[in-house]
Amino acid sequence: MAAKENDVEVKILSPAAAQRRQRLVTKDGHCTLHTPPAPGSPATWLLYLQDVWGTVVALRWRWVILAFCTSFLAHWLLFACLWYLLAHLNGDLMVDHDAPPPDHTVCVKYITSFTAAFSFSLETQLTIGYGTMFPSGDCPSAIALLAVQMLLGLMLEAFITGAFVAKIARPKKRAGAIQFSPCAVVGQHQGETCLMFRATNMLQRPLVDVNINAVLYQDHGDQALYQSKVEFQLDNLGANPCPFFIFPLTFYHQLNRQSPVYQALQEGSATHFELVVFLSAAQEDTGESCQKRTSYLKGEIEFDHHFATVLRLDTLGQYKMDMSNFAKVLPDTTNSKAEVDKEYVVQINGDGSERVE
C-alpha cells in the first residue's frame, strides 16, 4: 500500500521483507542492550557498590526485603558476638550475677550465654526496654559498646527506611500508567501524510507538561547504529508541551523529504530502523517528572490507516471515552463518505471528524 504526499510516493516494507533482529527497546520501555565492562575499567560489582543507594532503590522488592532482613539480622548477630566477648573478657560468664564478688563489676546483668547476648543486642537495637538485662554505669566498655551499637543501628535504620520510601515514591511507578498504542500508522492528517502514534494516561490523576522526544536508530548495513532526531507535534501546539494529559493523545510527524523516516519507509529500502519514543511528564500533585518509553519497528507501522475515535460527545453533551478503540486502527477513508451516525463525534486531537445527525 502507498500514500502520496506532495507528489512523492511513500511505501512501507512488509514485516517479512525486513531482517529479523533484536530490538533495542522493548514495547514496555526496557533496554535490551547489556554493556560488558571495558578493558581496564573497574569490575561491574564494584561500580554497583560505589552507588549503593541507587543500586538498592533499583532492586526488585523481593531483593530489597531480603537485604532488609539480612542487614538487621547481621547487625544483631555482630553485636551479640561483641557483647558475649565483652562478658567473657570481663569474667561475667563465671560469676553469680545475683551475688557477684565485691571486687567484680558486671558489665551487663545476666549475660551468661550467647543466647542472652543476642537477646540483649536485639533489645538494644529495637529500644524495646530492658528487663533483667541492663548495662552497668560502672563499666566504661559496656557504655562505649552501647553507644557504638546505637549509632550504627540508627544509620542502618535511616538507610533502610529511606530506601523503602524512595522505592515506593519513585516516579517510575507513575509512568506505568502511561500506555502507547502497540503500532504506529501512516495516514492523512490535515492534508499531509503523517506518521502517528497514540498515548494515554490510564489514571484519573492528570499529568502536566507532556513532552515527546523520538530518536530513529538506523542500520545502513555496516552494523553501526546511526541516530536521528524525529520531531513529533500535537495538533497546533507544535513543539510546545501539552499542558494537560487526561485523554488519549495522538502525536504526528510530517513525512516529507526532510524527514529522517522518509527514506527508511520507502519500498525497496534495506535500511533497518527502530523508532524509540520518549514521553516525559510531570505529576500534578508532586511535581516529579516521569518518563515512559516504547519503540516501533518497520513491521509495526500500518500504512494508509488512522486511529479509531476514542473520545465522543453523546446526545447529552457528555464526553465519553471508548478505550476499546485506543489501539484500533482503521483504513484511511479520508476521501470516502461515511454513513451518518446518530450521535455526535467531536474531533479532538485529530481523532475522527465532526458528524451530525
Side-chain angles (χ1 to χ4, degrees), residues 207-244:
L207 295 170
V208 296
D209 295 333
V210 179
N211 285 283
I212 284 290
N213 294 286
V215 177
L216 184 70
Y217 294 91
Q218 292 177 282
D219 181 357
H220 298 295
D222 55 357
Q223 296 185 357
L225 289 176
Y226 298 87
Q227 304 179 54
S228 302
K229 184 178 181 180
V230 182
E231 297 283 354
F232 279 88
Q233 65 180 11
L234 183 65
D235 294 333
N236 294 324
L237 292 179
N240 297 320
C242 175
F244 211 42

Side-chain angles (χ1 to χ4, degrees), residues 48-59 63-64 67-68 71-72 125 151-167:
Y48 280 109
L49 190 61
Q50 291 175 352
D51 183 23
V52 177
W53 176 257
T55 301
V56 172
V57 173
L59 287 175
W63 299 114
V64 172
F68 170 84
S71 60
F72 275 101
Q125 176 63 37
L151 288 175
L152 293 181
L154 288 174
M155 293 173 59
L156 179 62
E157 289 176 4
F159 182 86
I160 296 297
T161 303
F164 266 72
V165 173
K167 192 168 181 63

Side-chain angles (χ1 to χ4, degrees), residues 161-181:
T161 303
F164 266 72
V165 173
K167 192 168 181 63
I168 293 173
R170 279 192 307 172
K172 181 179 179 180
K173 299 300 181 182
R174 179 63 179 91
I178 301 174
Q179 290 189 6
F180 292 98
S181 57

Side-chain angles (χ1 to χ4, degrees), residues 54-116:
T55 301
V56 172
V57 173
L59 287 175
R60 293 182 178 272
W61 271 111
R62 55 178 175 266
W63 299 114
V64 172
I65 294 175
L66 179 62
F68 170 84
C69 298
T70 303
S71 60
F72 275 101
L73 185 60
H75 187 267
W76 298 334
L77 286 172
L78 171 63
F79 279 92
C81 294
L82 295 178
W83 286 116
Y84 184 79
L85 179 61
L86 176 63
H88 174 72
L89 295 177
N90 195 53
D92 296 343
L93 301 178
M94 302 305 232
V95 301
D96 184 2
H97 285 219
D98 290 324
D103 58 343
H104 183 83
T105 300
V106 177
C107 284
V108 181
K109 275 286 191 179
Y110 300 112
I111 289 188
T112 57
S113 64
F114 183 79
T115 305

Side-chain angles (χ1 to χ4, degrees), residues 195-326:
L195 173 65
M196 299 169 276
F197 70 90
R198 178 177 276 176
T200 186
N201 175 22
M202 300 299 294
L203 295 182
Q204 293 294 326
R205 291 178 294 156
L207 295 170
V208 296
D209 295 333
V210 179
N211 285 283
I212 284 290
N213 294 286
V215 177
L216 184 70
Y217 294 91
Q218 292 177 282
D219 181 357
H220 298 295
D222 55 357
Q223 296 185 357
L225 289 176
Y226 298 87
Q227 304 179 54
S228 302
K229 184 178 181 180
V230 182
E231 297 283 354
F232 279 88
Q233 65 180 11
L234 183 65
D235 294 333
N236 294 324
L237 292 179
N240 297 320
C242 175
F244 211 42
F245 190 9
I246 55 174
F247 53 81
L249 303 176
T250 303
F251 296 89
Y252 306 88
H253 169 71
Q254 185 177 350
L255 288 175
N256 50 36
R257 293 186 182 276
Q258 288 72 41
S259 168
V261 190
Y262 173 77
Q263 294 293 336
L265 287 177
Q266 287 199 15
E267 186 176 24
S269 173
T271 302
H272 170 79
F273 73 86
E274 181 174 344
L275 179 65
V276 182
V277 177
F278 307 85
L279 188 150
S280 302
Q283 303 182 60
E284 187 182 40
D285 46 359
T286 64
E288 293 181 321
S289 179
C290 60
Q291 185 187 86
K292 186 64 178 291
R293 300 178 294 270
T294 193
S295 68
Y296 297 101
L297 300 178
K298 187 175 294 188
E300 296 170 346
I301 300 178
E302 299 286 346
F303 218 83
D304 283 342
H305 281 71
H306 68 273
F307 288 107
T309 302
V310 172
L311 196 62
R312 294 175 178 269
L313 187 65
D314 62 17
T315 55
L316 299 178
Q318 296 178 340
Y319 289 107
K320 302 291 184 182
M321 283 192 292
D322 183 6
M323 292 307 296
S324 63
N325 286 344
F326 171 72

